[in-house]
Amino acid sequence: MTDVSPPALHDGLPRVTRRPTRVGLVSGGLGAYWPQFPGLLDRLRESARFVTERLWEMGCDVVDAGFVSDPREAAGAAEHLRRADCDVVVTYLTTYLTASMVLPIAQRAHAPVLVIDLQPNEVMDHPNTGTGQWLAYCGQCPLPEIANVFRRSGVAFRSVSGHLRDGNAWNRIRRWITAARVRGVLRHGRHGLMGHLYPGMLDVSTDMTLVSARFGGHVEVLEFDDLRIRVAAVTDEETAGRVALAHEVFTLDASVNEDDLAWASRVSVGLDRLVKDFGLDSLAYYHRGLEGEIHERLGAGMILGASFLTARGIPMAGEYELRTGLAMLIADTIGAGGSFTELQALDFRDRAVEMGHDGPAHLAISARDPLLRGLGVYHGKRGWGVSVEFDVGHGPVTTFGVGQEADGTFTFVVSEGEVVPGPLLEIGNTTSRVDFGFDPGEWTDAWAATGVGHHWALCTGHRAKDLRAVADLLGVPFRAVTGPGPL
């Protein structure tokens, strides 16, 4: 699939390369037609080749199980796809076929199935179309049959109908492929959890077993000592190189202390090594610390390196926020950035919700060069050092959080708005002003009522449809805040 992630911010911050999306493909039609209408099968196979090529052009690793004409061949294709460990299976209905040729694939492939029917052109040439030619246009004919059988069999049904060169249909297919990419990233992901829960933040607490059970992947439990020994091994030359990178990427406020910047740079290099050594795709962290001891200094020095890594596609979430780290990873995977965010204030005059956070930010989605500010105190946290200040690029945005219910069910919660200009805090925090199109107090009430938790990812673009597709493939309930809730 074409890389949909935000561009690299700087040559010194190369984007991470991940496993390509593995898409299974099986095409089919009813074998009874082939002897009746010579040439039809060749035409349908040509259409199938076109679909295969389009999927390859998206950057997918396509596992093509071939063209099937009866239930026996479909069973063989299902076994082939089962062994391939696909992120999604695309079943292309080239003409009518029976549901018995599709159900085994959905049952045995161990991957979500997308059913597509793409006729040759946008409309038939009716006066010159006989039965054999018409059959190439009736891929949609078995779609209700398949939907009915899927429902009766407990199989999730999703489909895209269109024609081979239908831009709208291919955009919808691309959305499902992007969702499959997220599924693949999560299934094979490694998520670090370093330190301990911020005391009292009960909404942040996440059962790591459920993360692996519901999304796949692995949660690696780390100690701050794992970072300490790597930071201790960083050389002065490596530290100087990271200081130089900070000067290139950031605007440095006069409040920045050079010793604090050097420490943050040293921690940044050590953090890179930690991520590499443990093969991490994300990291959530927090350590309270005491009286300037080494672990406190490490925790306070992580903001620079965490922001660099987040911009590269390896999100870092403070305050031990495992679920928000996953939301940030999902957002980055679909090309929406995703920066660590919480509520800050409400502007009732301009009808804007002010949101952001102290700590790591997704630098690649900043409205301008991000700023480094020196802080003698981190509010609510021990330690001192440099912190990131920026505003997400103005225009359409989506708030996206992963909530968790009493029974352990994860939920996706989204709301679309627009980042608008206006006065911003200058306290070393990220801050964006978001207009959701209605009273900010009512938005806040409706957002909180979803059970999202007090952290989320702020994403670029209107992404509700993309995230709904991801939720569908993952089997996660989806909630959207689109207006004020009940009184």
Side-chain angles (χ1 to χ4, degrees), residues 186-341:
L186 294 179
R187 285 198 307 133
H188 298 273
R190 291 176 55 83
H191 315 292
L193 198 57
M194 184 170 71
H196 60 81
L197 187 72
Y198 188 108
M201 283 189 183
L202 303 183
D203 65 316
V204 168
S205 177
T206 302
D207 185 335
M208 69 181 74
T209 302
L210 282 178
V211 170
S212 296
R214 303 292 171 84
F215 295 145
H218 169 74
V219 179
E220 183 74 16
V221 177
L222 303 171
E223 304 283 353
F224 259 78
D225 287 322
D226 292 317
L227 178 61
R228 175 182 59 81
I229 61 171
R230 287 166 175 81
V231 170
V234 175
T235 67
D236 292 342
E237 182 179 6
E238 290 170 322
T239 300
R242 193 55 54 94
V243 169
L245 179 61
H247 277 273
E248 293 178 31
V249 171
F250 290 91
T251 296
L252 267 64
D253 185 75
S255 59
V256 172
N257 177 285
E258 288 298 325
D259 288 341
D260 291 344
L261 176 58
W263 173 247
S265 297
R266 187 178 294 274
V267 173
S268 176
V269 176
L271 191 56
D272 284 359
R273 290 178 179 168
L274 180 81
V275 166
K276 181 179 179 180
D277 290 347
F278 286 95
L280 301 182
D281 295 289
S282 71
L283 174 66
Y285 66 91
Y286 176 75
H287 183 81
R288 183 175 59 190
L290 183 65
E291 296 181 352
E293 50 85 28
I294 183 60
H295 299 96
E296 178 186 296
R297 294 294 296 129
L298 288 168
M302 284 188 65
I303 293 173
L304 177 68
S307 297
F308 280 157
L309 282 165
T310 300
R312 291 179 50 207
I314 307 171
M316 303 279 125
E319 299 177 8
Y320 214 59
E321 250 290 19
L322 176 58
R323 294 199 315 277
T324 299
L326 294 174
M328 292 165 67
L329 178 60
I330 291 167
D332 188 86
T333 301
I334 68 173
S339 201
F340 195 51
T341 306

Side-chain angles (χ1 to χ4, degrees), residues 351-424:
R351 294 172 63 86
V353 180
E354 298 182 48
M355 58 180 68
H357 209 281
D358 64 308
H362 199 308
L363 304 178
I365 63 172
S366 178
R368 59 190 65 85
D369 285 348
L371 181 137
L372 271 185
R373 187 179 295 277
L375 298 178
V377 62
Y378 290 153
H379 72 274
K381 300 182 178 73
R382 292 175 175 148
W384 66 92
V386 296
S387 191
V388 173
E389 192 172 294
F390 89 149
D391 178 19
V392 169
H394 295 185
V397 291
T398 303
T399 54
F400 167 46
V402 178
Q404 189 167 13
E405 301 294 293
D407 63 359
T409 299
F410 292 115
T411 59
F412 281 10
V413 185
V414 306
S415 188
E416 294 180 338
E418 182 176 356
V419 171
V420 295
L424 301 171

Side-chain angles (χ1 to χ4, degrees), residues 38-114:
L40 175 60
L41 178 58
D42 290 340
R43 183 179 187 184
L44 300 181
R45 281 177 167 161
E46 183 61 31
S47 295
R49 280 191 289 271
F50 179 87
V51 170
T52 303
E53 290 169 3
R54 286 298 300 266
L55 292 174
W56 277 113
E57 288 170 5
M58 293 183 195
C60 301
D61 176 9
V62 181
V63 180
D64 193 343
F67 197 102
V68 300
S69 301
D70 58 44
R72 181 176 294 179
E73 291 179 359
E79 179 62 19
H80 180 67
L81 295 173
R82 183 191 66 78
R83 293 193 301 267
D85 187 32
C86 298
D87 300 315
V88 68
V89 170
V90 176
T91 300
Y92 175 30
L93 313 180
T94 66
T95 185
Y96 177 78
L97 47 65
T98 62
S100 64
M101 295 170 59
V102 180
L103 183 60
I105 295 166
Q107 290 176 319
R108 302 178 194 177
H110 299 303
V113 173
L114 171 64

